[in-house]
Amino acid sequence: MEVQLHRFLPLTTAEGPGRRACVWVQGCPIHCKGCGVPWTWNPNKGTRISVDAIWEMIMKSKNEKNIEGITFLGGEPFEQAEALAEIGSRAQADGLSVMTFSGYYKEQLEKMNKPGWKDLYDVTDLFIDGPFERDKLEKHRPWVGSTNQRFHFLTDRYQALEADLVNLPDRLEIYLKKDGTVEANGMVPSEVWDRLFKKI
Ligand code: SF4
């Protein structure tokens, strides 16, 4: 089984609770207006990589970066639900938490019934659903871009956060790589990305 991968982050504190590895998939057919990552839309870009290879990277993160869980985001994770469900299942068995984002609402996922969607849902501890709506910018809760997006605490693992969401910070991470390129992730509006990375 393989994943069309946009990027793997071995350690992030900006994409969910605590220290996490992040599997950022390539390909999203939803095309929200104002999407902060339109470069993840094309399903033919990115890298084709096996589930086993991603799992090896996650295990390396666990051993070297002391992560508590993994986050699936995109792109649209439920376009590749079968492969991500397999990774999520291994993570759960290994004691790692699983956080999954979707631009689809749960009700849409049920209706569409894409292969593997329920398996991915069932291995998720914290599920965030709904498309980005740029006229409903979120200013209080972490990790989401708009107020329509919903948090579903599917297990007890992060239940305690529910009452305190507005006090959790959003973070922006910027990496200067050895080859001189800059990479960033976190939740900021697309205008902020434009200001940060516009060509001089
Ligand atoms: S679902 Fe996410 S990645 Fe897809 S268009 Fe909307 S904001 Fe962008």
Side-chain angles (χ1 to χ4, degrees):
M1 229 184 294
E2 293 182 321
V3 173
Q4 197 70 22
L5 183 71
H6 172 65
R7 195 171 153 208
F8 177 81
L9 297 178
L11 173 64
T12 175
T13 57
E15 310 290 0
R19 297 165 67 86
R20 320 188 66 77
C22 181
V23 179
W24 202 336
V25 300
Q26 181 72 33
C28 179
I30 302 174
H31 295 191
C32 308
K33 287 199 175 94
C35 168
V37 286
W39 48 86
T40 66
W41 290 0
N42 187 336
N44 300 314
K45 291 198 170 169
T47 312
R48 196 97 189 130
I49 181 169
S50 70
V51 160
D52 287 342
I54 291 181
W55 183 244
E56 265 179 44
M57 293 194 286
I58 291 170
M59 284 295 93
K60 192 163 186 278
S61 288
K62 186 183 175 197
N63 295 330
E64 295 178 4
K65 311 282 186 190
N66 196 25
I67 56 166
E68 68 179 60
I70 59 174
T71 296
F72 296 131
L73 81 170
E76 173 49 50
F78 282 85
E79 294 296 324
Q80 307 188 49
E82 289 171 297
L84 297 189
E86 171 61 27
I87 297 169
S89 166
R90 293 186 195 184
Q92 289 278 3
D94 208 84
L96 294 170
S97 64
V98 178
M99 179 176 181
T100 307
F101 285 83
S102 180
Y104 297 118
Y105 288 115
K106 187 194 171 200
E107 294 78 3
Q108 290 175 290
L109 290 169
E110 282 170 338
K111 206 167 172 185
M112 291 184 297
N113 200 23
K114 288 176 182 284
W117 85 268
K118 189 65 167 54
D119 297 325
L120 177 54
Y121 183 84
D122 284 345
V123 295
T124 296
D125 295 289
L126 175 53
F127 175 54
I128 295 185
D129 69 348
F132 173 66
E133 295 188 21
R134 66 178 171 188
D135 57 341
K136 295 180 182 167
L137 283 188
E138 174 66 67
K139 298 204 169 76
H140 303 292
R141 298 173 306 163
W143 315 313
V144 295
S146 54
T147 57
N148 61 298
Q149 293 170 314
R150 306 179 302 186
F151 284 67
H152 303 266
F153 295 87
L154 303 180
T155 67
D156 292 342
R157 186 117 182 197
Y158 291 118
Q159 190 68 58
L161 298 181
E162 187 166 17
D164 205 30
L165 275 180
V166 296
N167 292 317
L168 297 173
D170 256 337
R171 296 175 197 273
L172 174 65
E173 294 172 338
I174 298 180
Y175 308 89
L176 178 58
K177 297 175 77 177
K178 284 181 185 161
D179 64 2
T181 56
V182 175
E183 287 189 352
N185 67 284
M187 179 46 68
V188 291
S190 54
E191 315 83 75
V192 176
W193 288 125
D194 291 346
R195 282 209 304 279
L196 277 171
F197 294 110
K198 78 176 177 188
K199 289 184 184 154
I200 300 171

